Amino acid sequence: AWDHYCTVVAPRPLSPRSNDNAKEYGAKVLQIAKEMDCAVVNTFQLLGGDKGEKHYEQYMTDGLHLNGEGNRLVYEGIMDAIKSNYEYLLPSDGYDGGNGGTVSLEE
């Protein structure tokens, strides 16, 4: 869908994006994170990039932007990375997210 937009629909040609390019870019990010001893969320793997477009498109609205389910998966991946590597950054159990209601860490 995104490639179609970039090459056909867009008012000017945009750089085409592909699953292979996303995988290569992600591999470089993982390499740099390892070199810098930095936690990283492998969103390519998390969203099932190796399982093909029919699988990962269920997490996208247009082939590029995440839908609600995709955002939930990435949020969970980020929270897992924080819990595993930076536990001191976790919000307390009583943190209300700024909305006046209490939200537990498990929600």
XYZ file of all heavy atoms in Angstrom:
828
model
N 0.830 -1.191 0.000
C 0.000 0.000 0.000
C 0.874 1.254 0.000
O 0.615 2.181 -0.744
C -0.934 -0.008 1.197
N 1.900 1.272 0.851
C 2.756 2.451 0.918
C 3.559 2.613 -0.366
O 3.704 3.726 -0.881
C 3.677 2.372 2.128
C 4.550 3.591 2.245
C 5.892 3.636 2.091
C 4.152 4.933 2.501
N 6.355 4.922 2.243
C 5.306 5.739 2.493
C 2.922 5.543 2.722
C 5.270 7.108 2.718
C 2.893 6.916 2.942
C 4.045 7.672 2.943
N 4.067 1.521 -0.906
C 4.815 1.599 -2.158
C 3.927 2.150 -3.267
O 4.357 2.991 -4.055
C 5.360 0.222 -2.536
C 6.224 0.289 -3.784
O 7.211 1.044 -3.764
O 5.904 -0.401 -4.758
N 2.683 1.716 -3.329
C 1.731 2.217 -4.321
C 1.533 3.722 -4.147
O 1.546 4.480 -5.114
C 0.398 1.478 -4.218
C -0.646 1.983 -5.161
N -0.641 1.668 -6.501
C -1.707 2.792 -4.960
C -1.664 2.266 -7.099
N -2.321 2.957 -6.179
N 1.376 4.144 -2.901
C 1.216 5.574 -2.637
C 2.451 6.343 -3.106
O 2.335 7.376 -3.755
C 0.959 5.836 -1.147
C 0.877 7.310 -0.842
C -0.308 8.006 -1.069
C 1.971 8.007 -0.378
C -0.386 9.364 -0.830
C 1.910 9.368 -0.134
C 0.720 10.046 -0.361
O 0.648 11.387 -0.128
N 3.633 5.841 -2.750
C 4.886 6.540 -3.083
C 5.121 6.640 -4.577
O 5.664 7.634 -5.061
C 6.078 5.829 -2.441
S 6.155 6.038 -0.667
N 4.739 5.619 -5.316
C 5.074 5.583 -6.729
C 3.927 5.971 -7.660
O 4.171 6.312 -8.816
C 5.582 4.177 -7.123
O 4.587 3.215 -6.782
C 6.878 3.851 -6.395
N 2.685 5.941 -7.165
C 1.549 6.220 -8.044
C 0.698 7.397 -7.556
O 0.405 8.313 -8.317
C 0.649 4.966 -8.190
C -0.560 5.257 -9.055
C 1.454 3.808 -8.762
N 0.312 7.401 -6.302
C -0.658 8.357 -5.789
C -0.046 9.692 -5.390
O -0.647 10.744 -5.598
C -1.408 7.750 -4.567
C -2.402 8.725 -3.986
C -2.085 6.454 -4.979
N 1.139 9.679 -4.813
C 1.769 10.894 -4.285
C 1.894 11.959 -5.361
O 2.131 11.653 -6.524
C 3.140 10.561 -3.709
N 1.743 13.237 -4.960
C 1.850 14.317 -5.947
C 3.243 14.439 -6.559
O 3.404 14.974 -7.630
C 1.506 15.571 -5.141
C 1.638 15.188 -3.711
C 1.440 13.708 -3.632
N 4.250 13.945 -5.889
C 5.607 13.884 -6.433
C 6.187 12.537 -6.025
O 5.798 11.993 -4.996
C 6.475 15.027 -5.927
C 6.629 15.043 -4.423
C 7.499 16.231 -3.978
N 7.466 16.390 -2.562
C 8.039 15.591 -1.653
N 8.705 14.531 -2.052
N 7.954 15.824 -0.378
N 7.072 11.992 -6.801
C 7.629 10.684 -6.432
C 8.327 10.729 -5.076
O 9.086 11.643 -4.781
C 8.634 10.391 -7.547
C 8.223 11.270 -8.680
C 7.582 12.487 -8.068
N 8.026 9.777 -4.257
C 8.662 9.638 -2.955
C 9.584 8.435 -2.986
O 9.452 7.561 -3.831
C 7.595 9.440 -1.862
C 6.573 10.564 -1.714
C 5.490 10.155 -0.731
C 7.243 11.842 -1.253
N 10.511 8.393 -2.060
C 11.410 7.243 -2.040
C 10.606 5.989 -1.728
O 9.852 5.961 -0.761
C 12.516 7.446 -1.008
O 11.952 7.585 0.269
N 10.728 4.974 -2.551
C 9.970 3.753 -2.309
C 10.475 3.036 -1.058
O 11.666 3.030 -0.772
C 10.206 2.910 -3.556
C 11.430 3.465 -4.175
C 11.537 4.895 -3.758
N 9.567 2.467 -0.344
C 9.918 1.707 0.851
C 9.560 0.263 0.601
O 8.612 -0.048 -0.097
C 9.155 2.248 2.046
C 9.545 3.683 2.323
C 8.963 4.191 3.592
N 9.515 5.518 3.826
C 8.847 6.505 4.341
N 7.617 6.327 4.717
N 9.412 7.664 4.514
N 10.323 -0.617 1.212
C 10.039 -2.031 1.031
C 10.310 -2.765 2.336
O 11.023 -2.265 3.212
C 10.911 -2.624 -0.085
O 12.261 -2.680 0.340
N 9.772 -3.946 2.427
C 9.988 -4.779 3.596
C 11.470 -5.137 3.721
O 12.032 -5.146 4.814
C 9.122 -6.033 3.500
C 8.980 -6.734 4.827
O 8.816 -6.093 5.856
N 9.034 -8.055 4.802
N 12.118 -5.403 2.596
C 13.548 -5.727 2.614
C 14.377 -4.554 3.132
O 15.314 -4.739 3.912
C 14.037 -6.135 1.231
C 13.500 -7.495 0.801
O 13.145 -8.303 1.690
O 13.442 -7.737 -0.414
N 14.033 -3.339 2.701
C 14.753 -2.160 3.182
C 14.514 -1.945 4.674
O 15.435 -1.575 5.406
C 14.358 -0.912 2.393
C 14.907 -0.909 0.994
O 15.824 -1.650 0.664
N 14.331 -0.070 0.144
N 13.289 -2.179 5.117
C 12.975 -2.038 6.543
C 13.772 -3.044 7.365
O 14.286 -2.719 8.441
C 11.476 -2.221 6.784
N 13.893 -4.255 6.863
C 14.661 -5.292 7.559
C 16.134 -4.892 7.644
O 16.762 -5.017 8.705
C 14.508 -6.627 6.846
C 15.206 -7.767 7.546
C 14.942 -9.088 6.832
C 15.582 -10.239 7.582
N 15.250 -11.525 6.978
N 16.685 -4.408 6.540
C 18.094 -3.998 6.514
C 18.330 -2.822 7.471
O 19.310 -2.798 8.219
C 18.497 -3.622 5.088
C 19.948 -3.264 4.943
C 20.341 -2.943 3.502
O 19.590 -3.305 2.567
O 21.395 -2.313 3.328
N 17.444 -1.849 7.445
C 17.550 -0.693 8.335
C 17.488 -1.158 9.793
O 18.293 -0.736 10.627
C 16.417 0.291 8.042
C 16.438 1.517 8.907
C 17.214 2.618 8.558
C 15.681 1.594 10.070
C 17.242 3.755 9.351
C 15.702 2.721 10.865
C 16.473 3.800 10.497
O 16.492 4.921 11.283
N 16.546 -2.042 10.097
C 16.413 -2.562 11.455
C 17.649 -3.302 11.911
O 18.057 -3.196 13.076
N 18.270 -4.053 11.007
C 19.496 -4.780 11.351
C 20.613 -3.809 11.720
O 21.389 -4.060 12.651
C 19.920 -5.669 10.194
N 20.690 -2.692 11.009
C 21.704 -1.675 11.329
C 21.418 -1.048 12.690
O 22.333 -0.802 13.476
C 21.745 -0.589 10.254
C 22.249 -1.067 8.929
C 23.732 -1.381 8.989
C 24.241 -1.750 7.615
N 25.595 -2.266 7.642
N 20.154 -0.784 12.981
C 19.784 -0.223 14.282
C 20.180 -1.192 15.393
O 20.744 -0.785 16.421
C 18.278 0.105 14.337
C 17.838 0.438 15.759
C 17.937 1.249 13.396
N 19.897 -2.475 15.208
C 20.266 -3.487 16.205
C 21.779 -3.544 16.406
O 22.269 -3.668 17.537
C 19.739 -4.860 15.797
C 18.223 -5.032 15.812
C 17.840 -6.375 15.202
C 17.680 -4.899 17.217
N 22.529 -3.448 15.308
C 23.994 -3.478 15.380
C 24.515 -2.285 16.182
O 25.367 -2.439 17.064
C 24.581 -3.468 13.976
C 26.085 -3.414 13.930
C 26.606 -3.250 12.504
O 25.894 -3.449 11.524
N 27.857 -2.856 12.398
N 24.004 -1.110 15.888
C 24.453 0.099 16.590
C 24.057 0.034 18.068
O 24.854 0.386 18.944
C 23.881 1.360 15.915
C 24.512 1.531 14.533
C 24.090 2.593 16.785
C 23.832 2.553 13.659
N 22.852 -0.453 18.353
C 22.414 -0.585 19.748
C 23.326 -1.528 20.520
O 23.682 -1.257 21.667
C 20.970 -1.071 19.796
N 23.727 -2.611 19.879
C 24.633 -3.567 20.525
C 25.985 -2.906 20.795
O 26.545 -3.048 21.885
C 24.802 -4.809 19.659
C 25.649 -5.882 20.297
C 25.715 -7.127 19.432
C 26.576 -8.184 20.114
N 26.613 -9.419 19.341
N 26.500 -2.193 19.809
C 27.791 -1.517 19.966
C 27.752 -0.484 21.092
O 28.744 -0.262 21.783
C 28.195 -0.826 18.660
C 28.561 -1.777 17.548
C 28.743 -1.087 16.208
O 28.716 0.169 16.146
O 28.908 -1.805 15.197
N 26.599 0.131 21.281
C 26.457 1.179 22.294
C 25.887 0.642 23.607
O 25.620 1.422 24.516
C 25.580 2.304 21.742
C 26.179 2.979 20.527
S 25.232 4.388 19.969
C 25.607 5.545 21.270
N 25.688 -0.677 23.667
C 25.110 -1.304 24.850
C 23.790 -0.631 25.238
O 23.579 -0.214 26.369
C 26.100 -1.276 26.022
C 25.664 -2.198 27.150
O 24.985 -3.203 26.884
O 25.997 -1.889 28.315
N 22.933 -0.530 24.262
C 21.658 0.167 24.415
C 20.509 -0.794 24.103
O 20.564 -1.537 23.128
C 21.635 1.350 23.453
S 20.111 2.295 23.473
N 19.487 -0.761 24.929
C 18.308 -1.596 24.671
C 17.589 -1.078 23.429
O 17.567 0.121 23.153
C 17.369 -1.559 25.866
N 17.010 -1.999 22.698
C 16.278 -1.629 21.490
C 15.095 -2.580 21.321
O 15.155 -3.737 21.740
C 17.208 -1.656 20.244
C 17.659 -3.063 19.923
C 16.541 -1.031 19.038
N 14.037 -2.073 20.738
C 12.868 -2.893 20.433
C 12.920 -3.217 18.943
O 12.905 -2.310 18.116
C 11.553 -2.161 20.787
C 10.344 -2.991 20.390
C 11.513 -1.811 22.266
N 12.994 -4.489 18.617
C 13.058 -4.920 17.227
C 11.628 -4.961 16.678
O 10.953 -5.980 16.705
C 13.724 -6.294 17.135
C 13.945 -6.736 15.713
O 13.327 -6.229 14.781
N 14.825 -7.703 15.537
N 11.165 -3.826 16.178
C 9.781 -3.743 15.704
C 9.557 -4.580 14.449
O 8.448 -5.048 14.216
C 9.361 -2.282 15.446
O 10.282 -1.673 14.538
C 9.323 -1.499 16.748
N 10.596 -4.771 13.648
C 10.450 -5.625 12.460
C 10.047 -7.032 12.889
O 9.089 -7.597 12.371
C 11.754 -5.658 11.658
C 11.649 -6.412 10.369
C 11.163 -5.796 9.236
C 12.027 -7.747 10.283
C 11.047 -6.494 8.032
C 11.927 -8.447 9.092
C 11.434 -7.821 7.971
N 10.766 -7.560 13.860
C 10.457 -8.899 14.373
C 9.130 -8.894 15.135
O 8.305 -9.795 14.968
C 11.582 -9.371 15.280
C 11.381 -10.759 15.839
C 12.519 -11.154 16.759
O 13.041 -10.326 17.505
N 12.915 -12.410 16.689
N 8.931 -7.873 15.949
C 7.736 -7.767 16.783
C 6.458 -7.793 15.939
O 5.472 -8.432 16.308
C 7.809 -6.472 17.593
C 6.784 -6.245 18.673
C 7.000 -7.214 19.822
C 6.867 -4.817 19.178
N 6.491 -7.124 14.807
C 5.307 -7.041 13.944
C 5.263 -8.153 12.898
O 4.351 -8.198 12.083
C 5.248 -5.674 13.257
C 5.136 -4.476 14.196
C 5.270 -3.184 13.417
C 3.847 -4.515 14.987
N 6.231 -9.061 12.945
C 6.224 -10.200 12.035
C 6.643 -9.871 10.624
O 6.098 -10.421 9.662
N 7.636 -9.001 10.470
C 8.101 -8.612 9.140
C 8.556 -9.767 8.278
O 8.370 -9.756 7.062
N 9.145 -10.794 8.898
C 9.595 -11.957 8.132
C 8.458 -12.876 7.706
O 8.663 -13.779 6.908
C 10.609 -12.778 8.951
C 12.002 -12.173 8.887
O 12.332 -11.547 7.866
O 12.752 -12.327 9.863
N 7.277 -12.645 8.235
C 6.134 -13.500 7.898
C 5.401 -13.020 6.655
O 4.454 -13.643 6.231
C 5.167 -13.570 9.086
C 5.783 -14.241 10.294
C 4.817 -14.279 11.449
C 5.479 -14.908 12.665
N 4.592 -14.888 13.822
N 5.826 -11.905 6.097
C 5.246 -11.418 4.855
C 4.213 -10.325 5.064
O 3.702 -10.101 6.159
N 3.926 -9.648 3.966
C 3.048 -8.481 3.990
C 1.654 -8.798 4.525
O 1.082 -8.017 5.273
C 2.945 -7.886 2.586
C 2.194 -6.586 2.542
C 2.211 -5.935 1.173
O 3.109 -6.262 0.364
O 1.322 -5.124 0.915
N 1.111 -9.935 4.148
C -0.239 -10.289 4.607
C -0.306 -10.384 6.124
O -1.330 -10.114 6.718
C -0.722 -11.597 3.974
C -0.984 -11.495 2.502
C -2.122 -10.527 2.247
C -2.377 -10.407 0.755
N -3.210 -9.278 0.422
N 0.824 -10.761 6.754
C 0.835 -10.846 8.215
C 0.966 -9.467 8.844
O 0.141 -9.065 9.657
C 1.969 -11.755 8.710
C 2.042 -11.813 10.205
N 1.197 -12.603 10.939
C 2.808 -11.149 11.090
C 1.462 -12.436 12.221
N 2.437 -11.554 12.331
N 2.020 -8.728 8.484
C 2.270 -7.481 9.198
C 1.328 -6.360 8.799
O 1.155 -5.401 9.543
C 3.735 -7.040 9.110
C 4.231 -6.625 7.752
C 3.946 -5.381 7.222
C 5.018 -7.495 7.002
C 4.416 -5.006 5.991
C 5.498 -7.125 5.761
C 5.194 -5.875 5.261
O 5.656 -5.507 4.032
N 0.653 -6.466 7.657
C -0.266 -5.392 7.282
C -1.465 -5.307 8.224
O -2.123 -4.274 8.295
C -0.713 -5.521 5.830
C -1.702 -6.626 5.567
C -2.108 -6.724 4.101
O -1.609 -5.975 3.246
O -2.956 -7.583 3.808
N -1.696 -6.374 9.001
C -2.791 -6.328 9.970
C -2.519 -5.302 11.076
O -3.427 -4.923 11.811
C -3.033 -7.706 10.572
C -1.914 -8.209 11.469
C -2.151 -9.602 11.998
O -3.251 -9.929 12.419
N -1.116 -10.424 11.947
N -1.274 -4.855 11.193
C -0.890 -3.890 12.216
C -0.729 -2.476 11.666
O -0.282 -1.581 12.375
C 0.411 -4.319 12.899
C 0.342 -5.705 13.471
C 1.167 -6.721 13.007
C -0.583 -6.017 14.461
C 1.092 -7.999 13.536
C -0.670 -7.298 14.989
C 0.172 -8.274 14.517
O 0.088 -9.546 15.032
N -1.059 -2.279 10.395
C -0.862 -0.995 9.731
C -2.193 -0.443 9.219
O -3.103 -1.183 8.887
C 0.071 -1.154 8.524
C 1.364 -1.852 8.798
S 2.476 -0.759 9.660
C 3.865 -1.841 9.877
N -2.267 0.884 9.133
C -3.452 1.506 8.542
C -3.285 1.692 7.047
O -4.260 1.665 6.310
C -3.741 2.882 9.180
O -2.620 3.740 8.975
C -4.031 2.760 10.662
N -2.022 1.895 6.610
C -1.780 2.218 5.210
C -0.469 1.634 4.679
O 0.049 2.095 3.678
C -1.773 3.733 5.025
C -0.708 4.414 5.877
O 0.060 3.708 6.564
O -0.647 5.654 5.857
N 0.069 0.648 5.370
C 1.336 0.076 4.967
C 2.539 0.749 5.606
O 3.664 0.284 5.459
N 2.313 1.848 6.324
C 3.398 2.568 6.976
C 3.066 2.892 8.435
O 3.860 2.650 9.327
C 3.704 3.870 6.223
C 4.760 4.779 6.854
C 6.117 4.074 6.885
C 4.850 6.084 6.096
N 1.892 3.436 8.661
C 1.501 3.880 10.000
C 0.789 2.764 10.761
O -0.041 2.046 10.196
C 0.603 5.114 9.902
C 1.288 6.259 9.238
N 1.149 6.521 7.896
C 2.154 7.174 9.721
C 1.882 7.569 7.587
N 2.509 7.982 8.676
N 1.118 2.667 12.050
C 0.528 1.625 12.891
C -0.936 1.907 13.193
O -1.332 3.052 13.380
C 1.290 1.533 14.222
C 2.750 1.125 14.131
C 3.418 1.274 15.495
C 2.874 -0.295 13.638
N -1.718 0.837 13.266
C -3.096 0.948 13.733
C -3.100 0.704 15.244
O -2.036 0.598 15.877
C -4.018 -0.021 12.981
C -3.645 -1.484 13.193
O -2.953 -1.855 14.142
N -4.102 -2.338 12.285
N -4.265 0.589 15.855
C -4.366 0.389 17.292
C -3.635 -0.850 17.770
O -2.908 -0.818 18.778
N -3.804 -1.956 17.090
C -3.150 -3.208 17.479
C -1.634 -3.111 17.317
O -0.868 -3.589 18.154
C -3.700 -4.378 16.665
C -3.133 -5.727 17.046
C -3.476 -6.199 18.459
O -4.350 -5.595 19.103
O -2.854 -7.165 18.921
N -1.183 -2.477 16.241
C 0.244 -2.283 16.043
C 0.847 -1.407 17.131
O 1.926 -1.696 17.660
N 0.147 -0.349 17.489
C 0.607 0.513 18.579
C 0.652 -0.242 19.898
O 1.574 -0.049 20.696
C -0.290 1.750 18.713
C 0.091 2.831 17.727
O 1.226 3.262 17.671
N -0.881 3.265 16.949
N -0.316 -1.118 20.133
C -0.333 -1.901 21.368
C 0.892 -2.817 21.427
O 1.566 -2.911 22.457
C -1.614 -2.737 21.482
C -1.717 -3.506 22.810
C -2.875 -4.485 22.819
N -2.725 -5.547 21.834
C -1.878 -6.583 21.961
N -1.113 -6.694 23.014
N -1.812 -7.506 21.024
N 1.200 -3.485 20.314
C 2.365 -4.368 20.283
C 3.666 -3.605 20.522
O 4.538 -4.064 21.269
C 2.443 -5.100 18.943
C 1.488 -6.261 18.742
C 1.583 -6.776 17.313
C 1.767 -7.375 19.724
N 3.813 -2.456 19.884
C 5.026 -1.667 20.060
C 5.108 -1.143 21.497
O 6.172 -1.177 22.117
C 5.109 -0.519 19.025
C 6.250 0.435 19.344
C 5.264 -1.093 17.618
N 3.987 -0.694 22.049
C 3.959 -0.251 23.446
C 4.416 -1.379 24.369
O 5.256 -1.172 25.257
C 2.554 0.216 23.832
C 2.376 0.401 25.318
C 2.819 1.557 25.950
C 1.782 -0.588 26.095
C 2.675 1.718 27.317
C 1.628 -0.437 27.459
C 2.076 0.723 28.069
O 1.930 0.871 29.416
N 3.878 -2.565 24.159
C 4.271 -3.704 24.996
C 5.752 -4.024 24.829
O 6.432 -4.359 25.804
C 3.413 -4.926 24.677
C 1.989 -4.789 25.152
C 1.083 -5.933 24.729
O 1.549 -6.857 24.025
O -0.098 -5.895 25.109
N 6.261 -3.913 23.606
C 7.684 -4.140 23.368
C 8.546 -3.119 24.091
O 9.584 -3.462 24.680
N 8.121 -1.862 24.073
C 8.863 -0.813 24.771
C 8.823 -1.050 26.279
O 9.847 -0.951 26.965
C 8.304 0.579 24.416
C 8.610 0.908 22.951
C 8.852 1.654 25.361
C 7.881 2.126 22.420
N 7.651 -1.385 26.801
C 7.538 -1.637 28.238
C 8.375 -2.846 28.650
O 9.017 -2.830 29.713
C 6.077 -1.817 28.642
C 5.251 -0.535 28.546
S 5.927 0.850 29.494
C 5.650 0.278 31.157
N 8.408 -3.883 27.834
C 9.255 -5.047 28.128
C 10.729 -4.663 28.166
O 11.480 -5.111 29.031
C 9.028 -6.167 27.108
C 7.701 -6.878 27.274
O 7.057 -6.727 28.341
O 7.295 -7.578 26.328
N 11.140 -3.814 27.217
C 12.540 -3.371 27.184
C 12.875 -2.547 28.421
O 13.952 -2.694 29.003
C 12.816 -2.564 25.914
N 11.948 -1.708 28.835
C 12.172 -0.906 30.042
C 12.238 -1.811 31.267
O 13.138 -1.669 32.104
C 11.082 0.177 30.200
C 11.213 1.226 29.090
C 11.164 0.826 31.588
C 10.069 2.216 29.030
N 11.298 -2.748 31.374
C 11.284 -3.660 32.528
C 12.568 -4.481 32.600
O 13.091 -4.736 33.679
C 10.087 -4.604 32.446
C 8.767 -3.949 32.748
C 7.613 -4.916 32.545
C 6.290 -4.217 32.665
N 5.150 -5.102 32.361
N 13.082 -4.903 31.453
C 14.277 -5.752 31.409
C 15.579 -4.980 31.609
O 16.549 -5.533 32.118
C 14.358 -6.476 30.062
O 13.263 -7.331 29.893
N 15.611 -3.726 31.189
C 16.870 -2.995 31.158
C 16.927 -1.734 32.016
O 18.010 -1.313 32.411
C 17.196 -2.596 29.711
C 17.327 -3.796 28.819
O 18.341 -4.468 28.836
N 16.299 -4.083 28.038
N 15.776 -1.123 32.234
C 15.744 0.167 32.925
C 14.566 0.212 33.902
O 13.751 1.120 33.864
C 15.619 1.317 31.926
C 16.606 1.247 30.791
C 16.210 0.871 29.510
C 17.946 1.560 31.000
C 17.128 0.808 28.475
C 18.868 1.500 29.966
C 18.450 1.118 28.710
O 19.357 1.059 27.688
N 14.509 -0.772 34.769
C 13.360 -0.897 35.667
C 13.093 0.381 36.458
O 11.949 0.704 36.760
C 13.572 -2.069 36.621
C 12.328 -2.448 37.369
C 12.484 -3.739 38.138
O 13.287 -4.598 37.749
O 11.784 -3.875 39.141
N 14.146 1.125 36.759
C 13.995 2.363 37.528
C 13.198 3.434 36.772
O 12.759 4.417 37.359
C 15.370 2.924 37.932
C 16.264 3.256 36.760
C 16.276 4.528 36.208
C 17.096 2.289 36.201
C 17.091 4.838 35.137
C 17.918 2.586 35.135
C 17.906 3.854 34.606
O 18.716 4.152 33.535
N 12.998 3.241 35.477
C 12.222 4.198 34.681
C 10.730 3.873 34.647
O 9.944 4.662 34.126
C 12.748 4.235 33.241
C 14.146 4.806 33.062
C 14.563 4.703 31.599
C 14.222 6.248 33.539
N 10.349 2.737 35.186
C 8.940 2.349 35.164
C 8.107 3.294 36.016
O 8.545 3.726 37.083
C 8.771 0.921 35.691
C 9.231 -0.192 34.773
C 9.215 -1.522 35.526
C 8.348 -0.274 33.544
N 6.906 3.607 35.556
C 6.017 4.409 36.406
C 5.596 3.587 37.626
O 5.569 2.361 37.571
C 4.823 4.705 35.493
C 4.882 3.692 34.413
C 6.316 3.259 34.286
N 5.288 4.266 38.695
C 4.837 3.560 39.894
C 3.440 3.009 39.663
O 2.715 3.439 38.762
C 4.840 4.501 41.093
O 3.901 5.537 40.899
N 3.040 2.064 40.490
C 1.708 1.460 40.345
C 0.582 2.473 40.462
O -0.482 2.286 39.921
C 1.503 0.347 41.377
C 2.181 -0.944 40.972
O 2.297 -1.196 39.767
O 2.592 -1.698 41.868
N 0.819 3.564 41.174
C -0.221 4.564 41.356
C -0.249 5.642 40.296
O -1.080 6.530 40.321
N 0.666 5.562 39.318
C 0.731 6.585 38.278
C -0.563 6.616 37.503
O -1.076 5.592 37.071
C 1.906 6.307 37.338
C 2.005 7.267 36.183
C 2.381 8.586 36.392
C 1.720 6.852 34.894
C 2.471 9.472 35.339
C 1.818 7.732 33.831
C 2.191 9.043 34.060
O 2.275 9.911 33.014
N -1.116 7.805 37.315
C -2.416 7.913 36.651
C -2.326 8.305 35.188
O -3.336 8.499 34.533
C -3.327 8.876 37.402
C -2.888 10.328 37.311
O -1.913 10.621 36.590
O -3.519 11.173 37.954
N -1.140 8.425 34.647
C -0.992 8.762 33.238
C -1.433 10.172 32.910
O -1.600 10.531 31.761
N -1.643 10.978 33.948
C -2.054 12.364 33.734
C -3.525 12.527 33.428
O -3.994 13.607 33.133
N -4.289 11.443 33.505
C -5.713 11.548 33.162
C -6.624 11.498 34.391
O -7.831 11.419 34.253
C -6.120 10.456 32.167
C -5.992 9.058 32.754
O -5.652 8.885 33.921
N -6.250 8.050 31.944
N -6.040 11.524 35.584
C -6.836 11.547 36.802
C -7.286 10.195 37.302
O -7.778 10.082 38.407
N -7.120 9.150 36.527
C -7.501 7.804 36.957
C -6.269 6.958 37.149
O -5.243 7.182 36.526
N -6.329 5.995 38.015
C -5.181 5.149 38.260
C -5.093 4.060 37.203
O -6.099 3.423 36.888
C -5.272 4.500 39.664
O -5.322 5.558 40.616
C -4.090 3.617 39.951
N -3.916 3.860 36.666
C -3.675 2.837 35.671
C -2.581 1.934 36.211
O -1.494 2.396 36.539
C -3.224 3.432 34.320
C -2.922 2.350 33.321
C -4.275 4.396 33.797
N -2.856 0.640 36.317
C -1.832 -0.269 36.804
C -0.846 -0.563 35.683
O -1.130 -0.354 34.514
C -2.454 -1.576 37.301
O -2.855 -2.376 36.217
N 0.325 -1.070 36.058
C 1.341 -1.399 35.060
C 0.911 -2.533 34.167
O 1.449 -2.717 33.074
C 2.657 -1.754 35.755
C 3.353 -0.592 36.461
C 4.598 -1.088 37.159
C 3.706 0.497 35.484
N -0.025 -3.336 34.593
C -0.453 -4.489 33.814
C -1.514 -4.150 32.779
O -1.852 -4.943 31.942
C -0.975 -5.584 34.746
C 0.064 -6.066 35.729
C 1.358 -6.509 35.057
O 1.307 -7.232 34.055
O 2.422 -6.114 35.548
N -2.076 -2.945 32.817
C -3.121 -2.562 31.858
C -2.528 -2.052 30.569
O -1.503 -1.493 30.499
C -4.031 -1.501 32.454
C -4.874 -2.064 33.568
C -5.844 -1.005 34.118
O -6.455 -0.281 33.347
O -5.940 -0.934 35.320
